[in-house]
Amino acid sequence: MESVLDNILAPANVAPQRLHQAMRYAVMGGGKRVRALLAHATGELCGAAPQKIDIAAAAVELIHAYSLVHDDMPCMDDDDLRRGKPSCHKQYDDATALLVGDALQSLAFQILAQPGLCADSKQQLEMLHTLAIASGSRGMAGGQAIDLASVGKNLDQTELEYMHIHKTGALIRVAALLGAYSADQVDSERIKAIDLYAQSIGLAFQVVDDILDAEADSATLGKTAGKDAHSNKPTYVTILGIERAKQLAQELHENALKSLSAHGTKAQRLTQLAQFITQRSF
Ligand code: GRG
């Protein structure tokens, strides 16, 4: 994925140099690439060509990187540390960071829209449509809006879940779906199983993120630890307590595995990813 992303991003010495450098700064050399791995795992399960999955996976990683750049800006979460280094607006400036996010989002759609990516152009359009919904106001951006509006409020578990299904879950879900849609033939039963898996694992990812935010240190996380509690944001830990939050992560992990039960060892990578997501320490 590193070399795929490296090839997709404009070279740093091409004008406008500062913007291209900053885009590279935001995307390269960091990040667990969970969404890319997820796309590759579902793509492999569905028999897609790896080079085609690369493009879908890169598109999702570019949207993800844009969201982190914007999320760290002073007008949003105002965070100075991301992926173990100064966040993009700290390394460059606010205006550059804003443009980095904008340009990364455009680039994601540009690569996914490239002519001839899919033999069936209807399928390619479906991929673009799915990514647009997942990242827009009915997906990630909408979840972020709910997140910003929830500071200092007492959300219940259902409201918190609604927020995270959009803010974090939508992009994880679309990563899994685009990997599967990269295959020439898409079996609807398999897509259904993948979608259920991705919904469980997307929520588990956020529950674990809240647990790590409460328990891990900034050096391990590569971002500011304890930020949510500090910002008076509701989290799974503040609502459920740490033990119940850990139990919930475990339940979601089990649900994810159940969704894959019909696929046996063919779904091994998805099983491994579910384990990584729920047992990660960073
Ligand atoms: C600005 C439109 C807009 C959206 C921002 C995703 C997001 C929405 C904000 C990020 C805030 C945050 C820390 C959410 C918790 C879950 C999450 C997405 C963590 C970061 O993802 P990782 O851990 O990051 O996969 P890496 O760096 O490994 O890629």
Side-chain angles (χ1 to χ4, degrees), residues 30-35 61 64 66-68 70-71 76-77 82-83 140-141 144 167-168 205-206 209 223 280:
K32 296 177 286 297
R33 308 291 187 218
V34 163
R35 294 153 192 82
E61 283 291 336
H64 171 56
Y66 123 66
S67 80
L68 299 180
H70 280 187
D71 183 63
M76 296 229 186
D77 239 18
R82 173 66 63 185
R83 293 176 168 173
M140 181 185 73
Q144 179 78 345
K167 188 180 104 169
T168 316
F205 185 93
Q206 183 62 52
D209 214 73
K223 60 181 180 177
R280 70 197 169 101

Side-chain angles (χ1 to χ4, degrees), residues 4-18:
V4 169
L5 289 164
D6 189 28
N7 286 328
I8 286 168
L9 287 160
N13 61 359
V14 165
Q17 283 96 338
R18 188 175 166 82

Side-chain angles (χ1 to χ4, degrees), residues 72-73 114 132 166 195 248 267 270:
D72 288 337
M73 290 184 70
Q114 66 187 265
H166 292 82
D195 197 17
L248 177 60
L270 287 171

Side-chain angles (χ1 to χ4, degrees), residues 81-144:
L81 188 66
R82 173 66 63 185
R83 293 176 168 173
K85 52 188 192 181
S87 32
C88 191
H89 70 279
K90 286 307 256 186
Q91 184 72 13
Y92 292 88
D93 53 73
D94 287 4
T96 304
L98 197 62
L99 289 172
V100 163
D102 294 341
L104 290 177
Q105 173 157 220
S106 298
L107 185 58
F109 286 102
Q110 180 192 321
I111 60 169
L112 202 59
Q114 66 187 265
L117 180 69
C118 297
D120 179 357
S121 52
K122 253 172 84 184
Q123 193 176 336
Q124 193 170 345
L125 209 52
E126 179 68 31
M127 289 167 89
L128 285 159
H129 189 238
T130 310
L131 183 62
I133 292 173
S135 40
S137 64
R138 294 185 168 191
M140 181 185 73
Q144 179 78 345

